[in-house]
Amino acid sequence: MPINSFENYPMSWKPSIDKTERPIYQALARQLEEDIVNGFLLPGTKLPPQRELADYLDLNLSTISKAFKVCELKGFLSASVGSGTFVSYDALSNAYLLEDTKPKHLIEMGATIPDNVSYEPLHLQLKSMLQETDYEEWFGYGRAGESIWQKDAAVKFIRRGGFETTVDHILFANGGQNAIAATLASLCKPGDRIGVDNHTYPGLKTVAAMLSVQIVPIKSGNDGISPTAFEYACKNDHIKGIYLIPDYHNPTASFMSVENRKKIAAIARKYNQFVIEDASYHLLSKKLLPPLAAFAPEQVIYIASLSKSIAPGLRLAYVAVPIQFKEPISKALYNLNITVSPLLAELSARMIVSNQFQILIESHREQTILRNKAVNRYLADYTCLGVETGIFRWLLLPGKLTGAEFESLAAQQGVQVYGAERFVVGNSCPERAVRISVCAPKTLEELEQGLMILKRLLLQAG
């Protein structure tokens, strides 16, 4: 280190490393990670410019760059062109929402699942299937979608959401998150960047981290990602694609306007960006908006999961894939899936072809509306974003309470909710908010009990 050059110079991070360790960049990356984990570097902290840090440590600039890149790929840092490198706000947040077992004393208002009283049509269909003479074929080793009629069912299900496709574009996956993982694994290399909302689905965050794909927060408005910000990211942030949830955005419960869907589709075509459209919640609406895929079918990987609209136990998603992406995504799904369950694929197809799935969706919707009326009663004095058909809401907190603090307080009182910190991306500042699930409690009475506890905590915070 040059003598006296940095003794009184203000720097947010002044690491001390043993230069005998090799390689040095890994030692520096380890020190940076430890200082973040131990709280010496707080979320949102801007790190010194790389050249400045190189001078301070008397190291090559490339050594600093490699150390920063290691931590960026792990999600500890977020870099933006022209702004610098920051400690990610989500560096220490827990993005894994579902633990192996739910603590028995907690009222579940965290998981985004539909109500559990609307499954009778599924039960009857399954009983009928198991009485057929050739039932054993559904317990064998099948191949995903080898039956054309199952793909026809997938086309019908996707058409119900407003997107016209054909069997040539259909792939099967073991649920929506599995489809996301296969898409990123096939279309991205380690270090590639994709754009997302400031707050996004934690499953996307965990998959991206596992694959060393960087997620770049793109400025969002009241109806999702800003088209202007998306185009800026295409030009300046070197992103390869974008992930979004246009309907019932998770976690903020917002809807993207039709106008913005058209604009984002046009930008994706202009810059040849792939788009992952997560349509998990699309069919919950009474009046459906056209999916983004309808405006750019050649760019959009459209994922229609059955878990939110029909039943969580149906670990199945239909994926409408542009021909240019079909082969790599198909190979990735095979390597991740090997096969989807023949039983679940057959059960789902029969529910769709017989139109029983419409009855299930409408039954879920009735229960959801009933439960949202309770939410509106108990939380009438607070800003609780979302609509009556949504299975979760985005509660903005009064006072100075953070989402993480409210999550902790609620858990102490026996209610599980999830703070904004679990969903925030990179150096975006988390909203002071929590996501609350409307349908996860087993009964309406249990939901009301949880709402009473939350209201009491809100009154204390306000």
Side-chain angles (χ1 to χ4, degrees):
M1 180 176 67
I3 298 174
N4 297 327
S5 59
F6 288 91
E7 281 187 0
N8 299 308
Y9 187 78
M11 293 177 68
S12 59
W13 187 50
K14 293 184 176 182
S16 176
I17 61 170
D18 182 358
K19 293 185 181 179
T20 62
E21 289 191 51
R22 289 292 187 272
I24 294 177
Y25 81 91
Q26 288 187 356
L28 185 61
R30 186 163 54 251
Q31 180 64 60
L32 180 52
E33 182 176 336
E34 289 174 358
D35 285 351
I36 293 172
V37 170
N38 293 328
F40 297 119
L41 284 172
L42 299 177
T45 300
K46 184 177 182 179
L47 292 180
Q50 293 184 24
R51 192 173 299 280
E52 192 174 287
L53 195 57
D55 288 344
Y56 172 72
L57 294 172
D58 200 16
L59 293 172
N60 291 330
L61 177 61
S62 61
T63 301
I64 307 299
S65 297
K66 288 169 72 175
F68 275 30
K69 180 61 69 174
V70 168
C71 289
E72 193 174 356
L73 289 173
K74 288 184 176 182
F76 287 102
L77 299 180
S78 178
S80 56
V81 177
S83 299
T85 303
F86 298 79
V87 178
S88 297
Y89 275 98
D90 60 340
L92 302 180
S93 65
N94 180 8
Y96 296 90
L97 300 189
L98 290 182
E99 299 177 3
D100 290 340
T101 58
K102 181 179 79 69
K104 293 181 180 179
H105 68 284
L106 287 182
I107 296 174
E108 177 63 84
M109 295 182 70
T112 57
I113 53 178
D115 70 277
N116 60 1
V117 299
S118 306
Y119 297 141
E120 185 61 19
L122 272 174
H123 177 219
L124 294 176
Q125 184 64 256
L126 185 58
K127 282 179 63 177
S128 173
M129 286 172 57
L130 294 178
Q131 290 171 359
E132 296 176 13
T133 55
D134 56 352
Y135 69 88
E136 69 276 358
E137 68 182 274
W138 301 315
F139 298 95
Y141 185 86
R143 295 189 180 275
E146 64 181 4
S147 170
I148 292 296
W149 93 276
Q150 289 183 1
K151 289 193 174 183
D152 284 335
V155 169
K156 180 176 180 177
F157 186 79
I158 291 172
R159 185 182 297 131
R160 173 67 174 77
F163 179 40
E164 292 289 339
T165 189
T166 64
V167 294
D168 295 337
H169 293 268
I170 298 298
L171 296 174
F172 287 49
N174 282 317
Q177 187 166 354
N178 183 255
I180 294 168
T183 301
L184 292 185
S186 59
L187 302 186
C188 297
K189 302 186 299 292
D192 281 348
R193 298 156 71 89
I194 63 164
V196 297
D197 288 272
N198 293 331
H199 295 74
T200 196
Y201 168 49
L204 181 277
K205 294 170 62 177
T206 57
V207 166
M210 183 176 64
L211 297 172
S212 295
V213 172
Q214 296 181 59
I215 52 177
V216 178
I218 297 178
K219 185 178 179 181
S220 305
N222 293 330
D223 64 347
I225 284 175
S226 157
T228 303
F230 176 36
E231 184 157 22
Y232 177 89
C234 292
K235 293 178 179 179
N236 300 284
D237 289 332
H238 310 294
I239 62 173
K240 292 191 66 174
I242 192 171
Y243 167 87
L244 43 78
I245 310 174
D247 303 274
Y248 302 94
H249 173 258
N250 184 6
T252 63
S254 64
F255 286 75
M256 181 179 288
S257 67
V258 175
E259 180 184 4
N260 276 4
R261 294 177 198 224
K262 291 179 179 178
K263 288 180 179 178
I264 286 178
I267 294 167
R269 289 196 301 270
K270 179 179 178 181
Y271 294 94
N272 194 29
Q273 296 278 311
F274 71 79
V275 179
I276 302 174
E277 181 172 7
D278 188 338
S280 294
Y281 305 96
H282 188 50
L283 292 181
L284 301 179
S285 294
K286 288 182 181 177
K287 186 177 181 180
L288 301 178
L289 296 177
L292 196 140
F295 303 117
E298 72 282 10
Q299 302 297 135
V300 179
I301 298 99
Y302 182 83
I303 301 174
S305 168
L306 278 64
S307 63
K308 310 302 181 185
S309 55
I310 298 184
L314 288 178
R315 304 308 304 162
L316 183 65
Y318 301 131
V319 191
V321 182
I323 294 300
Q324 64 171 322
F325 302 136
K326 186 178 179 184
E327 184 177 355
I329 293 178
S330 178
K331 289 180 178 178
L333 281 169
Y334 176 79
N335 288 321
L336 290 171
N337 280 344
I338 303 302
T339 180
V340 299
S341 164
L343 176 64
L344 295 185
E346 181 73 13
L347 174 59
S348 300
R350 293 192 183 200
M351 292 298 298
I352 293 165
V353 171
S354 66
N355 284 325
Q356 291 291 302
F357 81 110
Q358 299 273 29
I359 297 172
L360 269 169
I361 290 171
E362 289 165 11
S363 179
H364 283 317
R365 188 181 296 129
E366 289 174 5
Q367 288 293 323
T368 303
I369 292 171
L370 183 65
R371 286 175 176 240
N372 271 299
K373 287 180 179 178
V375 174
N376 293 338
R377 282 199 312 273
Y378 282 93
L379 303 181
D381 296 331
Y382 303 93
T383 303
C384 194
L385 304 177
V387 296
E388 64 176 2
T389 53
I391 61 176
F392 59 88
R393 305 283 288 272
W394 188 237
L395 175 64
L396 304 185
L397 300 172
K400 297 182 179 180
L401 205 60
T402 69
E405 290 168 343
F406 190 84
E407 177 184 328
S408 178
L409 289 172
Q412 291 171 21
Q413 297 300 313
V415 180
Q416 177 71 76
V417 295
Y418 292 129
E421 289 79 0
R422 291 181 181 261
F423 307 92
V424 74
V425 177
N427 62 350
S428 304
C429 186
E431 291 189 25
R432 289 189 299 102
V434 292
R435 190 190 73 186
I436 58 175
S437 174
V438 175
C439 295
K442 292 182 179 179
T443 63
L444 181 59
E445 291 72 25
E446 187 179 53
L447 170 66
E448 293 187 343
Q449 182 184 351
L451 289 169
M452 282 190 284
I453 294 171
L454 296 182
K455 183 175 182 179
R456 185 171 67 245
L457 291 174
L458 290 167
L459 287 169
Q460 294 170 0

